[in-house]
Amino acid sequence: ENNPVFQQNQEVQEEDGQGLPETLQGESFPFLPFLLWMAVCMVMVLALLIAGICLGKRYRLKRRLRFLECPDIGQSIQYIFGYTVDMLRATHTLKKEKDLYDLSSPFYQWLGGDAGLFQDAFHLYQEARYSRHSMKEEDRRILLENKERIKEKIQEQSGLFKQAKDRFFHGIY
């Protein structure tokens, strides 16, 4: 304590009102910029990861939608109906597969005026899947119309956020 340099430093600190330890004297923590930089990097990586997942799902959806136009109409009908049912299940509109067969199910009540079109599409799907005769282009058009009507109905009953989530994050339509 008799060291003149120590006494001089102590006097300067007392004059400035800085008798506090160094870490509490208003100096920023030396690792704070590093932590901020790491946080920004982690957010960027997370954003890129989410964007990559969304782009991957959109790519798979685009590839799947190309199958709906395959030259074999019977196969195309099966793909279209399968996609329609997957869309209904992914949006929780169709709870159980057995609801497809029960005309009094909540699913057919949800369909309302489109229930007849859906039934026609369902019968055409069953015919394409289980019979050996060829299907017509008109049959495929009925299934495509059914798919579009159901997609529109799902979108009408969804909010903007849910539509964006279904379209981009889940890659449903």
PDB file of all heavy atoms in Angstrom, residues 57-77:
ATOM      1  N   LYS A  57     -39.536 -29.638 -50.149  1.00  0.00           N
ATOM      2  CA  LYS A  57     -40.932 -30.084 -50.179  1.00  0.00           C
ATOM      3  C   LYS A  57     -41.641 -29.577 -51.425  1.00  0.00           C
ATOM      4  O   LYS A  57     -42.448 -30.290 -52.021  1.00  0.00           O
ATOM      5  CB  LYS A  57     -41.656 -29.650 -48.916  1.00  0.00           C
ATOM      6  CG  LYS A  57     -41.184 -30.438 -47.715  1.00  0.00           C
ATOM      7  CD  LYS A  57     -41.992 -30.161 -46.494  1.00  0.00           C
ATOM      8  CE  LYS A  57     -41.442 -31.007 -45.358  1.00  0.00           C
ATOM      9  NZ  LYS A  57     -42.359 -31.229 -44.308  1.00  0.00           N
ATOM     10  N   ARG A  58     -41.367 -28.344 -51.822  1.00  0.00           N
ATOM     11  CA  ARG A  58     -41.976 -27.812 -53.049  1.00  0.00           C
ATOM     12  C   ARG A  58     -41.500 -28.600 -54.267  1.00  0.00           C
ATOM     13  O   ARG A  58     -42.274 -28.876 -55.177  1.00  0.00           O
ATOM     14  CB  ARG A  58     -41.634 -26.329 -53.231  1.00  0.00           C
ATOM     15  CG  ARG A  58     -42.190 -25.411 -52.191  1.00  0.00           C
ATOM     16  CD  ARG A  58     -43.679 -25.336 -52.132  1.00  0.00           C
ATOM     17  NE  ARG A  58     -44.270 -24.920 -53.367  1.00  0.00           N
ATOM     18  CZ  ARG A  58     -45.551 -25.081 -53.671  1.00  0.00           C
ATOM     19  NH1 ARG A  58     -46.369 -25.637 -52.821  1.00  0.00           N
ATOM     20  NH2 ARG A  58     -46.029 -24.684 -54.819  1.00  0.00           N
ATOM     21  N   TYR A  59     -40.213 -28.992 -54.286  1.00  0.00           N
ATOM     22  CA  TYR A  59     -39.680 -29.780 -55.394  1.00  0.00           C
ATOM     23  C   TYR A  59     -40.371 -31.146 -55.469  1.00  0.00           C
ATOM     24  O   TYR A  59     -40.761 -31.596 -56.546  1.00  0.00           O
ATOM     25  CB  TYR A  59     -38.163 -29.949 -55.235  1.00  0.00           C
ATOM     26  CG  TYR A  59     -37.566 -30.864 -56.266  1.00  0.00           C
ATOM     27  CD1 TYR A  59     -37.368 -30.435 -57.570  1.00  0.00           C
ATOM     28  CD2 TYR A  59     -37.214 -32.174 -55.947  1.00  0.00           C
ATOM     29  CE1 TYR A  59     -36.833 -31.267 -58.526  1.00  0.00           C
ATOM     30  CE2 TYR A  59     -36.677 -33.018 -56.890  1.00  0.00           C
ATOM     31  CZ  TYR A  59     -36.489 -32.569 -58.182  1.00  0.00           C
ATOM     32  OH  TYR A  59     -35.984 -33.405 -59.123  1.00  0.00           O
ATOM     33  N   ARG A  60     -40.515 -31.804 -54.310  1.00  0.00           N
ATOM     34  CA  ARG A  60     -41.194 -33.111 -54.293  1.00  0.00           C
ATOM     35  C   ARG A  60     -42.648 -32.981 -54.733  1.00  0.00           C
ATOM     36  O   ARG A  60     -43.163 -33.839 -55.449  1.00  0.00           O
ATOM     37  CB  ARG A  60     -41.105 -33.743 -52.912  1.00  0.00           C
ATOM     38  CG  ARG A  60     -39.747 -34.355 -52.630  1.00  0.00           C
ATOM     39  CD  ARG A  60     -39.746 -35.204 -51.375  1.00  0.00           C
ATOM     40  NE  ARG A  60     -40.028 -34.461 -50.153  1.00  0.00           N
ATOM     41  CZ  ARG A  60     -39.136 -33.791 -49.451  1.00  0.00           C
ATOM     42  NH1 ARG A  60     -37.879 -33.780 -49.835  1.00  0.00           N
ATOM     43  NH2 ARG A  60     -39.485 -33.146 -48.352  1.00  0.00           N
ATOM     44  N   LEU A  61     -43.308 -31.903 -54.318  1.00  0.00           N
ATOM     45  CA  LEU A  61     -44.699 -31.687 -54.737  1.00  0.00           C
ATOM     46  C   LEU A  61     -44.771 -31.481 -56.244  1.00  0.00           C
ATOM     47  O   LEU A  61     -45.635 -32.063 -56.910  1.00  0.00           O
ATOM     48  CB  LEU A  61     -45.300 -30.481 -54.013  1.00  0.00           C
ATOM     49  CG  LEU A  61     -46.704 -30.089 -54.453  1.00  0.00           C
ATOM     50  CD1 LEU A  61     -47.702 -31.205 -54.139  1.00  0.00           C
ATOM     51  CD2 LEU A  61     -47.130 -28.788 -53.802  1.00  0.00           C
ATOM     52  N   LYS A  62     -43.876 -30.685 -56.783  1.00  0.00           N
ATOM     53  CA  LYS A  62     -43.869 -30.429 -58.231  1.00  0.00           C
ATOM     54  C   LYS A  62     -43.648 -31.732 -59.007  1.00  0.00           C
ATOM     55  O   LYS A  62     -44.312 -31.987 -60.012  1.00  0.00           O
ATOM     56  CB  LYS A  62     -42.777 -29.413 -58.565  1.00  0.00           C
ATOM     57  CG  LYS A  62     -42.781 -28.955 -59.988  1.00  0.00           C
ATOM     58  CD  LYS A  62     -41.732 -27.881 -60.217  1.00  0.00           C
ATOM     59  CE  LYS A  62     -41.749 -27.412 -61.649  1.00  0.00           C
ATOM     60  NZ  LYS A  62     -40.756 -26.382 -61.894  1.00  0.00           N
ATOM     61  N   ARG A  63     -42.736 -32.548 -58.518  1.00  0.00           N
ATOM     62  CA  ARG A  63     -42.480 -33.840 -59.157  1.00  0.00           C
ATOM     63  C   ARG A  63     -43.714 -34.736 -59.068  1.00  0.00           C
ATOM     64  O   ARG A  63     -44.070 -35.416 -60.032  1.00  0.00           O
ATOM     65  CB  ARG A  63     -41.269 -34.495 -58.500  1.00  0.00           C
ATOM     66  CG  ARG A  63     -40.690 -35.634 -59.310  1.00  0.00           C
ATOM     67  CD  ARG A  63     -39.438 -36.170 -58.713  1.00  0.00           C
ATOM     68  NE  ARG A  63     -39.779 -36.880 -57.490  1.00  0.00           N
ATOM     69  CZ  ARG A  63     -38.972 -37.051 -56.468  1.00  0.00           C
ATOM     70  NH1 ARG A  63     -37.763 -36.559 -56.508  1.00  0.00           N
ATOM     71  NH2 ARG A  63     -39.354 -37.711 -55.408  1.00  0.00           N
ATOM     72  N   ARG A  64     -44.377 -34.725 -57.901  1.00  0.00           N
ATOM     73  CA  ARG A  64     -45.572 -35.553 -57.730  1.00  0.00           C
ATOM     74  C   ARG A  64     -46.696 -35.073 -58.655  1.00  0.00           C
ATOM     75  O   ARG A  64     -47.425 -35.898 -59.228  1.00  0.00           O
ATOM     76  CB  ARG A  64     -46.032 -35.507 -56.279  1.00  0.00           C
ATOM     77  CG  ARG A  64     -47.203 -36.415 -56.024  1.00  0.00           C
ATOM     78  CD  ARG A  64     -47.597 -36.452 -54.578  1.00  0.00           C
ATOM     79  NE  ARG A  64     -48.638 -37.436 -54.386  1.00  0.00           N
ATOM     80  CZ  ARG A  64     -49.301 -37.604 -53.274  1.00  0.00           C
ATOM     81  NH1 ARG A  64     -49.017 -36.876 -52.220  1.00  0.00           N
ATOM     82  NH2 ARG A  64     -50.250 -38.505 -53.189  1.00  0.00           N
ATOM     83  N   LEU A  65     -46.850 -33.773 -58.796  1.00  0.00           N
ATOM     84  CA  LEU A  65     -47.907 -33.236 -59.652  1.00  0.00           C
ATOM     85  C   LEU A  65     -47.671 -33.588 -61.121  1.00  0.00           C
ATOM     86  O   LEU A  65     -48.631 -33.692 -61.891  1.00  0.00           O
ATOM     87  CB  LEU A  65     -48.046 -31.726 -59.467  1.00  0.00           C
ATOM     88  CG  LEU A  65     -48.584 -31.275 -58.104  1.00  0.00           C
ATOM     89  CD1 LEU A  65     -48.580 -29.759 -58.000  1.00  0.00           C
ATOM     90  CD2 LEU A  65     -49.963 -31.847 -57.831  1.00  0.00           C
ATOM     91  N   ARG A  66     -46.424 -33.774 -61.531  1.00  0.00           N
ATOM     92  CA  ARG A  66     -46.136 -34.210 -62.904  1.00  0.00           C
ATOM     93  C   ARG A  66     -46.684 -35.609 -63.169  1.00  0.00           C
ATOM     94  O   ARG A  66     -47.097 -35.919 -64.275  1.00  0.00           O
ATOM     95  CB  ARG A  66     -44.633 -34.181 -63.179  1.00  0.00           C
ATOM     96  CG  ARG A  66     -44.181 -32.853 -63.709  1.00  0.00           C
ATOM     97  CD  ARG A  66     -42.754 -32.899 -64.201  1.00  0.00           C
ATOM     98  NE  ARG A  66     -41.953 -32.227 -63.165  1.00  0.00           N
ATOM     99  CZ  ARG A  66     -40.804 -32.645 -62.707  1.00  0.00           C
ATOM    100  NH1 ARG A  66     -40.267 -33.735 -63.170  1.00  0.00           N
ATOM    101  NH2 ARG A  66     -40.173 -31.985 -61.781  1.00  0.00           N
ATOM    102  N   PHE A  67     -46.699 -36.456 -62.129  1.00  0.00           N
ATOM    103  CA  PHE A  67     -47.236 -37.811 -62.288  1.00  0.00           C
ATOM    104  C   PHE A  67     -48.735 -37.793 -62.570  1.00  0.00           C
ATOM    105  O   PHE A  67     -49.261 -38.744 -63.142  1.00  0.00           O
ATOM    106  CB  PHE A  67     -46.971 -38.660 -61.040  1.00  0.00           C
ATOM    107  CG  PHE A  67     -45.597 -39.225 -60.974  1.00  0.00           C
ATOM    108  CD1 PHE A  67     -44.692 -38.759 -60.034  1.00  0.00           C
ATOM    109  CD2 PHE A  67     -45.202 -40.228 -61.844  1.00  0.00           C
ATOM    110  CE1 PHE A  67     -43.421 -39.278 -59.963  1.00  0.00           C
ATOM    111  CE2 PHE A  67     -43.917 -40.751 -61.784  1.00  0.00           C
ATOM    112  CZ  PHE A  67     -43.029 -40.280 -60.842  1.00  0.00           C
ATOM    113  N   LEU A  68     -49.419 -36.742 -62.164  1.00  0.00           N
ATOM    114  CA  LEU A  68     -50.860 -36.670 -62.382  1.00  0.00           C
ATOM    115  C   LEU A  68     -51.203 -36.601 -63.866  1.00  0.00           C
ATOM    116  O   LEU A  68     -52.326 -36.892 -64.247  1.00  0.00           O
ATOM    117  CB  LEU A  68     -51.458 -35.452 -61.661  1.00  0.00           C
ATOM    118  CG  LEU A  68     -51.209 -35.326 -60.163  1.00  0.00           C
ATOM    119  CD1 LEU A  68     -51.957 -34.123 -59.602  1.00  0.00           C
ATOM    120  CD2 LEU A  68     -51.577 -36.582 -59.409  1.00  0.00           C
ATOM    121  N   GLU A  69     -50.239 -36.227 -64.686  1.00  0.00           N
ATOM    122  CA  GLU A  69     -50.458 -36.083 -66.123  1.00  0.00           C
ATOM    123  C   GLU A  69     -49.833 -37.228 -66.924  1.00  0.00           C
ATOM    124  O   GLU A  69     -49.572 -37.072 -68.114  1.00  0.00           O
ATOM    125  CB  GLU A  69     -49.881 -34.757 -66.590  1.00  0.00           C
ATOM    126  CG  GLU A  69     -50.470 -33.569 -65.873  1.00  0.00           C
ATOM    127  CD  GLU A  69     -49.692 -32.295 -66.110  1.00  0.00           C
ATOM    128  OE1 GLU A  69     -48.702 -32.328 -66.879  1.00  0.00           O
ATOM    129  OE2 GLU A  69     -50.055 -31.275 -65.528  1.00  0.00           O
ATOM    130  N   CYS A  70     -49.611 -38.367 -66.299  1.00  0.00           N
ATOM    131  CA  CYS A  70     -48.954 -39.464 -67.016  1.00  0.00           C
ATOM    132  C   CYS A  70     -49.832 -39.946 -68.173  1.00  0.00           C
ATOM    133  O   CYS A  70     -51.059 -39.799 -68.148  1.00  0.00           O
ATOM    134  CB  CYS A  70     -48.576 -40.595 -66.061  1.00  0.00           C
ATOM    135  SG  CYS A  70     -49.898 -41.696 -65.601  1.00  0.00           S
ATOM    136  N   PRO A  71     -49.230 -40.508 -69.212  1.00  0.00           N
ATOM    137  CA  PRO A  71     -49.979 -40.915 -70.402  1.00  0.00           C
ATOM    138  C   PRO A  71     -51.022 -42.019 -70.138  1.00  0.00           C
ATOM    139  O   PRO A  71     -52.055 -42.049 -70.798  1.00  0.00           O
ATOM    140  CB  PRO A  71     -48.905 -41.428 -71.364  1.00  0.00           C
ATOM    141  CG  PRO A  71     -47.601 -41.039 -70.790  1.00  0.00           C
ATOM    142  CD  PRO A  71     -47.803 -40.696 -69.364  1.00  0.00           C
ATOM    143  N   ASP A  72     -50.749 -42.894 -69.213  1.00  0.00           N
ATOM    144  CA  ASP A  72     -51.710 -43.954 -68.885  1.00  0.00           C
ATOM    145  C   ASP A  72     -52.819 -43.338 -68.029  1.00  0.00           C
ATOM    146  O   ASP A  72     -52.617 -43.007 -66.859  1.00  0.00           O
ATOM    147  CB  ASP A  72     -50.998 -45.076 -68.123  1.00  0.00           C
ATOM    148  CG  ASP A  72     -51.924 -46.223 -67.751  1.00  0.00           C
ATOM    149  OD1 ASP A  72     -53.132 -46.162 -68.072  1.00  0.00           O
ATOM    150  OD2 ASP A  72     -51.443 -47.183 -67.133  1.00  0.00           O
ATOM    151  N   ILE A  73     -53.998 -43.174 -68.606  1.00  0.00           N
ATOM    152  CA  ILE A  73     -55.088 -42.470 -67.937  1.00  0.00           C
ATOM    153  C   ILE A  73     -55.513 -43.185 -66.654  1.00  0.00           C
ATOM    154  O   ILE A  73     -55.773 -42.546 -65.633  1.00  0.00           O
ATOM    155  CB  ILE A  73     -56.279 -42.275 -68.905  1.00  0.00           C
ATOM    156  CG1 ILE A  73     -55.855 -41.355 -70.048  1.00  0.00           C
ATOM    157  CG2 ILE A  73     -57.484 -41.687 -68.173  1.00  0.00           C
ATOM    158  CD1 ILE A  73     -56.889 -41.195 -71.137  1.00  0.00           C
ATOM    159  N   GLY A  74     -55.568 -44.500 -66.684  1.00  0.00           N
ATOM    160  CA  GLY A  74     -55.948 -45.251 -65.485  1.00  0.00           C
ATOM    161  C   GLY A  74     -54.974 -44.997 -64.337  1.00  0.00           C
ATOM    162  O   GLY A  74     -55.383 -44.788 -63.190  1.00  0.00           O
ATOM    163  N   GLN A  75     -53.696 -45.023 -64.647  1.00  0.00           N
ATOM    164  CA  GLN A  75     -52.673 -44.739 -63.642  1.00  0.00           C
ATOM    165  C   GLN A  75     -52.785 -43.292 -63.173  1.00  0.00           C
ATOM    166  O   GLN A  75     -52.657 -43.006 -61.988  1.00  0.00           O
ATOM    167  CB  GLN A  75     -51.282 -45.020 -64.222  1.00  0.00           C
ATOM    168  CG  GLN A  75     -50.184 -45.040 -63.209  1.00  0.00           C
ATOM    169  CD  GLN A  75     -50.262 -46.258 -62.315  1.00  0.00           C
ATOM    170  OE1 GLN A  75     -50.669 -47.332 -62.727  1.00  0.00           O
ATOM    171  NE2 GLN A  75     -49.883 -46.082 -61.072  1.00  0.00           N
ATOM    172  N   SER A  76     -53.017 -42.388 -64.103  1.00  0.00           N
ATOM    173  CA  SER A  76     -53.160 -40.978 -63.763  1.00  0.00           C
ATOM    174  C   SER A  76     -54.338 -40.761 -62.809  1.00  0.00           C
ATOM    175  O   SER A  76     -54.234 -39.986 -61.858  1.00  0.00           O
ATOM    176  CB  SER A  76     -53.368 -40.166 -65.047  1.00  0.00           C
ATOM    177  OG  SER A  76     -53.617 -38.823 -64.766  1.00  0.00           O
ATOM    178  N   ILE A  77     -55.440 -41.429 -63.051  1.00  0.00           N
ATOM    179  CA  ILE A  77     -56.612 -41.320 -62.176  1.00  0.00           C
ATOM    180  C   ILE A  77     -56.270 -41.780 -60.766  1.00  0.00           C
ATOM    181  O   ILE A  77     -56.657 -41.141 -59.779  1.00  0.00           O
ATOM    182  CB  ILE A  77     -57.801 -42.109 -62.771  1.00  0.00           C
ATOM    183  CG1 ILE A  77     -58.361 -41.354 -63.975  1.00  0.00           C
ATOM    184  CG2 ILE A  77     -58.879 -42.373 -61.730  1.00  0.00           C
ATOM    185  CD1 ILE A  77     -59.398 -42.103 -64.766  1.00  0.00           C
TER     186      ILE A  77
END
